[in-house]
Amino acid sequence: MTKADTTKKAVVGPPGQPKPYKEVITAKAITTKGMFTLHKIEDKYFFEIPNDMQDRDILVVSRLSKAAAGFRTGASYAGDQINSGTVRFEKGPNNRIYLKRTSFQEIGRDSTEGMYRNVMNSNIQPIGASFDVKAWSPDNAAAVVDVTDYINGDNDYFFFSPVIKKY
C-alpha cells in the first residue's frame, strides 16, 4: 500500500468559468440597487459591477456607523470619517476583476508631450484585490463578484486608514 504524498502542493490553475446568473444570484438574494447592485445571500455579499462603471475612478469615503464609549482619540464618534480614497475596478484576464487604488500625486498635464507618457508609465496603480467573476448579468452588462472575504477582512481601502489604526 502506497502512502499519499502529503507534501505535494495543490496545482493552482486559471480561475473557474462563470456560472449562469440564476445559479449564483438565487431567489434567496436580498438585492439593493445603487451605483452597484448588491446581493446578500445568507452570509455572502456579491457586487454586480456594471461594465460602464469599470475603468472609472470612484471616490470611497468610509465612516463609523457606531463607536465605543470611552474611546475618543482620532475618529471616534458615529458618523466620523475613518478613510477615503479613489479606487477603480478593471477587467483582468481569465474572468477576473481587479480592484485598484488610484493615485493622483504625480500627474502629467499635457497628454501630447512625451513626459506625460513617462509619468503615466511610472505610476502604474497597484492591484489591491482580485475577484473571480462568478456570473455575468443576464444582459452581460455587469460582472458579478463575491466580495464577502474582502469586505469582512481588514483592508486599507474601505476600513480604517493606517493612521487611524495606530490609535
Side-chain angles (χ1 to χ4, degrees):
M1 182 170 166
T2 56
K3 290 185 179 180
D5 183 1
T6 59
T7 62
K8 190 174 180 179
K9 302 260 186 210
V11 176
V12 179
Q17 291 297 313
K19 294 181 179 179
Y21 185 82
K22 292 288 183 187
E23 285 183 27
V24 177
I25 307 303
T26 64
K28 293 181 181 180
I30 299 169
T31 300
T32 304
K33 294 195 180 269
M35 181 184 304
F36 304 125
T37 300
L38 170 70
H39 303 284
K40 182 176 188 261
I41 304 171
E42 295 171 3
D43 61 346
K44 295 259 185 204
Y45 294 92
F46 296 88
F47 279 0
E48 194 168 317
I49 305 168
N51 295 337
D52 64 358
M53 287 302 299
Q54 295 175 26
D55 298 316
R56 291 177 59 180
D57 294 326
I58 302 165
L59 175 63
V60 177
V61 177
S62 302
R63 297 185 180 278
L64 286 175
S65 61
K66 296 179 183 178
F71 177 73
R72 299 293 177 229
T73 58
S76 58
Y77 291 96
D80 282 354
Q81 180 176 321
I82 58 171
N83 201 358
S84 67
T86 309
V87 299
R88 163 184 309 175
F89 289 96
E90 292 182 4
K91 278 186 185 172
N94 299 321
N95 293 307
R96 306 284 289 174
I97 297 292
Y98 297 140
L99 173 64
K100 294 183 173 184
R101 182 183 302 247
T102 53
S103 169
F104 300 100
Q105 289 179 333
E106 298 175 25
I107 58 172
R109 302 276 181 220
D110 185 354
S111 63
T112 63
E113 297 289 324
M115 182 58 84
Y116 175 83
R117 255 188 335 277
N118 290 339
V119 169
M120 297 308 290
N121 287 336
S122 297
N123 286 286
I124 303 299
Q125 307 305 322
I127 297 172
S130 177
F131 305 100
D132 289 331
V133 174
K134 299 296 184 185
W136 294 100
S137 64
D139 59 359
N140 286 324
V144 177
V145 296
D146 182 350
V147 295
T148 307
D149 292 338
Y150 192 74
I151 294 295
N152 286 335
D154 183 16
N155 66 73
D156 291 342
Y157 283 25
F158 299 122
F159 295 112
F160 290 98
S161 70
V163 172
I164 299 294
K165 283 180 186 178
K166 288 180 183 177
Y167 288 114

